[in-house]
Amino acid sequence: MKRVFSSHNLVLAHHSRNLLEAEGSETEMRNQILSSAMGELPPAECQAEVWVLREDEAARAETVLRNSFSRKDEPAWTCRCGERCEGQFTQCWRCGTTRPG
Ligand SMILES: [Zn+2]
């Protein structure tokens, strides 16, 4: 088992899991109940996590996720949560907000 994604954003975590399952990876969600039960941002240890069951699939899974969240040749941007995100990311890695514009 290897964790390949974690986020406070449960929707984003589910989205990531769907992407990996579509690629044929067996995955497991962790902490999703904790995250959804809390109204405010949960602490880091309560982030929703996506794990792949086979560690040898982790590298491929991370590539799938990186590609799905990335767009090349875009300027860096600042999320509403204050996080500065590199231009290749179309969603904030921290809170999952989609880049404005
Ligand atoms: Zn953010």
Side-chain angles (χ1 to χ4, degrees), residues 3 6 8 10 14-15 26-27 43 57 70-71 78 84:
R3 188 180 65 190
S6 65
H8 289 300
L10 189 60
H14 274 289
H15 176 64
E26 285 190 278
T27 63
E57 288 188 349
S70 70
R71 208 180 339 168
T78 301
R84 182 147 177 92

Side-chain angles (χ1 to χ4, degrees), residues 77-85 91-97:
W77 55 287
T78 301
C79 179
R80 65 183 181 186
C81 76
E83 194 63 41
R84 182 147 177 92
C85 301
Q91 284 180 298
C92 175
W93 62 269
R94 187 182 187 200
C95 71
T97 299

Side-chain angles (χ1 to χ4, degrees), residues 1 13 15 22 27 29-31 49 54 57 62 67 75 78 81 86:
M1 298 272 304
H15 176 64
T27 63
M29 294 280 296
R30 293 188 182 179
N31 293 341
E49 298 176 343
R54 293 164 52 99
E57 288 188 349
E62 288 171 350
N67 290 341
T78 301
C81 76
E86 294 300 318

Side-chain angles (χ1 to χ4, degrees), residues 56-80:
D56 59 353
E57 288 188 349
R60 185 170 68 103
E62 288 171 350
T63 299
V64 168
L65 294 180
R66 194 179 307 124
N67 290 341
S68 73
F69 292 129
S70 70
R71 208 180 339 168
K72 290 195 169 31
D73 302 325
E74 297 281 348
W77 55 287
T78 301
C79 179
R80 65 183 181 186

Side-chain angles (χ1 to χ4, degrees), residues 1-3 5-7 10 13 17 27-35 45-53:
M1 298 272 304
K2 192 169 192 301
R3 188 180 65 190
F5 183 81
S6 65
S7 174
L10 189 60
R17 186 189 189 190
T27 63
E28 183 176 300
M29 294 280 296
R30 293 188 182 179
N31 293 341
Q32 56 179 324
I33 296 175
L34 278 174
S35 292
E45 61 266 29
C46 291
Q47 289 189 104
E49 298 176 343
V50 180
W51 293 63
V52 290
L53 303 193

